Amino acid sequence: MIIGIDVGGTHIDGAVISNGNIVKTSKKITDRNNLFETIWTTLKILLEDIDKSKVSRINLSTTVSTNAIVEKRVSKVGMIVQSGPGMNYDFSRVGDQLEFISGYTDHRGVVVKEIVEDEIKTIRDNFIKNNMESIGIVSKFSTRNPSHEKQISEMLIDDFDTVAMGHSSSGRLNFPRRVNTTYLSAAVNNTFREFAENFEKSLKLEGVDVPIYVLKADGGTMDLDTAKNNPIETILSGPAASFMGLSALFSEIDDGVLLDIGGTTTDIFFLADGVQLFEPLGINIDNHKTLIRAIYSVSIGLGGDSYVRMEDNKLKIGPQRMGPPIAFGGEYLTPTDAMVALGKLDGGNKEKAVLAVGELAKRLDLSIKEAANKILDIMTGLIKEKVDNLLIKINAHPVYTVKELLENKRIEPQFVNVIGGPAKILAPLLEKKFAVKVKYPEEYKTANAVGAALAKPTIEINMLADTERGILSAPEAGIYETINRNYNLEMAENRALEIVRDSAIKLGANKADIEAEIVESNSFNMVKGFSGVFKNIRVRAQTTPGLIHDWRSQ
């Protein structure tokens, strides 16, 4: 039995899955001022009348890290960057205090110049003086030799809440993106740790002791302790849960559009021949380009609770959410009020909803029914307009999917699948706008929690084998081994797949469910005088995100 919980900005959803069947679901309002109570209440609902001894794992998805970054509620971060010789980068937006240090490691991972400890001690004292809470450390080629980052971390770890290191954030070579990724990881560490501790406390109160996994932006999962150490991997886990839910409840082989319409936002995804689009280099969040691989998704500020008003004599919806709908105790008109006024949505105070829509109707010189329908017509029109604009951009470039790069591929949607609270009500309107079949599953209200529950563990490694130095490294897995001069590309690829499979098993994956693949592999010859030819081998391997069970909607 698996429990999936999605903690969003508006709602917290839960689902209990047993033998591929949904046993129970829950949907409650998220109280941002009391997240512990919100989580505990949902857990109690899900666990009531359930044999707790049969719960094998809990999968979480959450937007707490993303919201903290976007709303600027992050820790004060001191950044230490060791650039070495070469191009200078603009890191002015990275951290609250940025310090560049001497010393460097070359592209092969050879330490050319050691760090100066007195320099680090001076920086540490300044960080303490300026109330820095977390620290990020990045040395340019640390993925090939992390010794400088580790040495500096040992000097600082006792004086700050968190020390994030570049080689732990990602094994890929892209110095600017790794600096940004490490900064964000340090910035949200305290926020995510507090969320994780609230969840663990709730589970303890309910007497449940099972492994906890957190959804990553690529749709896979990692254990809670790993997430605490590298919380940046959890950003966009909410949209990832939505995508996994859509994948669990639909089976498609054509080009299509997937929508999750929530209270605050609408998340948009695309399929190319039934396969999800991917971010090839890493996601961009709050103008920070990262190395976090992710399912391609775009969130727009348009949902059931979006603010509806007249502006410049035009009817506007969103992107702001000013609170709950008037029908549910709020003060500002929303699309949800229009649904309640039309009798399409049960619950809430219909009289208040009708009055609120009536005020708008007078300004538009329409009947209440016509005004309510106009709100929903504009809402679905905005979604269609955004999808069309995204398709123009996507089709202007090669299309990256989770499996391959598709040259000359044009995505031409043959269907739209939609989940979220208003999915059933908006599906007929969306069908008129898109002029293709629009479907929603029976579990449309809690599909994201179902997706979180069914997501399987994933991992990616970036492996370097240097036959001159006789070393092999895979930083994400913490592996540093010796190799001989005859080591070749085929041996490296086989070792990379072995590491990926072993790492996935450690994360809780079933051996039979693991699909490992080589994403990139290269071997460069390096001639050294008359002593011979050495090889510099680089391999990137991963497990493919997917569903634990062969689940299909009934």
Side-chain angles (χ1 to χ4, degrees):
M1 188 179 293
I2 303 170
I3 293 177
I5 295 179
D6 177 66
V7 184
T10 307
H11 292 100
I12 175 170
D13 301 334
V16 180
I17 309 290
S18 179
N19 297 321
N21 297 307
I22 298 175
V23 177
K24 186 187 289 188
T25 61
S26 169
K27 192 177 190 72
K28 293 289 181 183
I29 300 291
T30 299
D31 183 354
R32 293 193 183 194
N33 296 319
N34 195 343
L35 200 53
F36 165 71
E37 190 67 31
T38 299
I39 294 170
W40 191 24
T41 299
T42 295
L43 268 176
K44 285 191 287 190
I45 293 171
L46 294 175
L47 292 170
E48 188 177 12
D49 301 326
I50 294 289
D51 183 353
K52 297 177 183 177
S53 67
K54 293 185 177 178
V55 177
S56 59
R57 61 190 284 169
I58 294 178
N59 284 356
L60 290 173
S61 60
T62 178
T63 58
V64 294
S65 296
T66 308
N67 291 342
I69 293 168
V70 173
E71 296 170 8
K72 314 295 184 190
R73 294 182 292 101
V74 297
S75 299
K76 290 187 70 174
V77 177
M79 287 293 298
I80 296 176
V81 176
Q82 187 184 55
S83 298
M87 183 181 295
N88 292 321
Y89 298 94
D90 179 11
F91 293 133
S92 57
R93 289 191 66 251
V94 179
D96 298 274
Q97 185 174 343
L98 174 63
E99 300 285 352
F100 291 93
I101 61 171
S102 53
Y104 70 98
T105 302
D106 73 11
H107 67 285
R108 298 168 302 167
V110 175
V111 174
V112 179
K113 186 177 179 182
E114 293 290 353
I115 63 171
V116 178
E117 291 199 355
D118 286 344
E119 184 181 28
I120 305 302
K121 290 175 182 176
T122 300
I123 291 172
R124 178 191 60 194
D125 293 343
N126 284 330
F127 281 168
I128 294 173
K129 179 182 176 182
N130 293 325
N131 300 315
M132 295 298 119
E133 299 166 288
S134 298
I135 305 300
I137 307 168
V138 185
S139 177
K140 193 169 187 178
F141 290 105
S142 61
T143 53
R144 295 174 182 177
N145 184 347
S147 61
H148 279 179
E149 290 184 357
K150 291 181 175 180
Q151 187 179 349
I152 298 169
S153 175
E154 289 176 2
M155 295 176 65
L156 305 181
I157 190 69
D158 293 333
D159 295 303
F160 302 94
D161 294 343
T162 304
V163 175
M165 292 181 282
H167 75 278
S168 299
S169 299
S170 173
R172 281 186 284 167
L173 281 180
N174 188 313
F175 184 48
R177 282 180 178 264
R178 191 146 36 84
V179 171
N180 278 283
T181 306
T182 305
Y183 157 64
L184 291 175
S185 190
V188 301
N189 191 285
N190 286 346
T191 300
F192 185 81
R193 191 171 292 274
E194 182 182 359
F195 164 78
E197 288 171 355
N198 277 328
F199 196 85
E200 290 173 315
K201 181 181 174 183
S202 302
L203 272 184
K204 190 174 182 180
L205 287 170
E206 289 303 306
V208 177
D209 183 16
V210 297
I212 305 169
Y213 295 90
V214 184
L215 218 66
K216 300 188 298 179
D218 66 0
T221 66
M222 57 184 171
D223 66 76
L224 190 59
D225 286 338
T226 302
K228 286 179 187 175
N229 292 328
N230 199 16
I232 193 63
E233 287 277 2
T234 69
I235 61 173
L236 299 191
S237 75
S242 301
F243 177 81
M244 299 308 290
L246 285 157
S247 298
L249 299 168
F250 295 101
S251 179
E252 304 290 357
I253 58 172
D254 297 318
D255 294 352
V257 178
L258 310 179
L259 302 173
D260 179 7
I261 305 175
T264 307
T265 60
T266 292
D267 296 329
I268 303 169
F269 311 86
F270 295 93
L271 297 181
D273 299 328
V275 180
Q276 67 266 39
L277 266 57
F278 235 56
E279 293 282 5
L281 297 177
I283 57 174
N284 186 339
I285 181 166
D286 195 31
N287 292 320
H288 292 284
K289 292 181 178 179
T290 76
L291 287 168
I292 305 302
R293 58 196 296 266
I295 295 167
Y296 178 90
S297 68
V298 173
S299 294
I300 58 174
L302 186 64
D305 294 358
S306 292
Y307 179 31
V308 177
R309 76 282 185 189
M310 292 297 294
E311 195 173 285
D312 298 329
N313 291 319
K314 292 183 179 177
L315 183 58
K316 301 277 188 177
I317 305 177
Q320 306 97 321
R321 178 183 184 269
M322 306 294 283
I326 290 174
F328 292 89
E331 300 179 9
Y332 299 93
L333 184 63
T334 69
T336 297
D337 293 309
M339 297 176 206
V340 173
L342 287 169
K344 294 176 179 290
L345 183 65
D346 296 329
N349 190 321
K350 185 175 180 179
E351 186 178 347
K352 285 188 176 181
V354 170
L355 282 172
V357 177
E359 290 297 319
L360 178 72
K362 289 177 186 175
R363 298 185 64 178
L364 294 171
D365 195 23
L366 297 172
S367 69
I368 293 175
K369 182 178 179 180
E370 288 172 334
N373 280 323
K374 189 175 183 64
I375 291 172
L376 302 186
D377 182 70
I378 290 177
M379 182 181 184
T380 51
L382 289 171
I383 294 173
K384 174 67 164 55
E385 181 181 347
K386 185 65 179 180
V387 168
D388 287 345
N389 290 336
L390 289 172
L391 281 171
I392 290 172
K393 291 181 180 177
I394 292 170
N395 286 332
H397 303 281
V399 175
Y400 289 86
T401 72
V402 69
K403 292 185 176 179
E404 59 187 333
L405 170 62
L406 303 176
E407 294 281 2
N408 303 317
K409 168 67 179 177
R410 283 187 59 81
I411 296 179
E412 297 177 353
Q414 304 299 307
F415 61 87
V416 174
N417 294 338
V418 58
I419 60 172
K424 184 177 179 179
I425 296 169
L426 297 181
L429 303 176
L430 290 167
E431 194 160 283
K432 290 181 181 176
K433 296 289 183 185
F434 281 87
V436 295
K437 185 69 176 176
V438 176
K439 297 176 288 184
Y440 61 89
E442 183 180 342
E443 308 84 359
Y444 63 93
K445 291 182 179 178
T446 55
N448 43 8
V450 173
L454 296 177
K456 69 181 182 182
T458 58
I459 190 170
E460 178 191 69
I461 66 159
N462 293 268
M463 196 173 80
L464 170 69
D466 185 335
T467 61
E468 180 189 10
R469 298 174 59 218
I471 62 167
L472 177 152
S473 63
E476 298 92 341
I479 288 177
Y480 298 90
E481 300 173 344
T482 58
I483 56 175
N484 61 42
R485 291 182 55 178
N486 297 320
Y487 205 79
N488 59 38
L489 183 61
E490 182 180 357
M491 296 163 75
E493 289 180 343
N494 289 335
R495 180 64 180 130
L497 292 172
E498 183 181 40
I499 292 171
V500 164
R501 293 190 185 103
D502 289 346
S503 298
I505 290 171
K506 288 178 182 176
L507 285 174
N510 291 322
K511 189 174 182 179
D513 293 336
I514 298 171
E515 296 177 29
E517 60 183 353
I518 301 296
V519 180
E520 296 173 3
S521 66
N522 295 287
S523 178
F524 303 97
N525 289 332
M526 299 183 298
V527 180
K528 295 290 180 182
F530 298 101
S531 60
V533 177
F534 300 96
K535 289 185 173 61
N536 185 294
I537 304 169
R538 301 170 187 176
V539 179
R540 185 154 69 100
Q542 67 177 20
T543 56
T544 305
L547 302 172
I548 295 171
H549 298 289
D550 186 14
W551 170 279
R552 291 291 178 263
S553 173
Q554 299 303 309

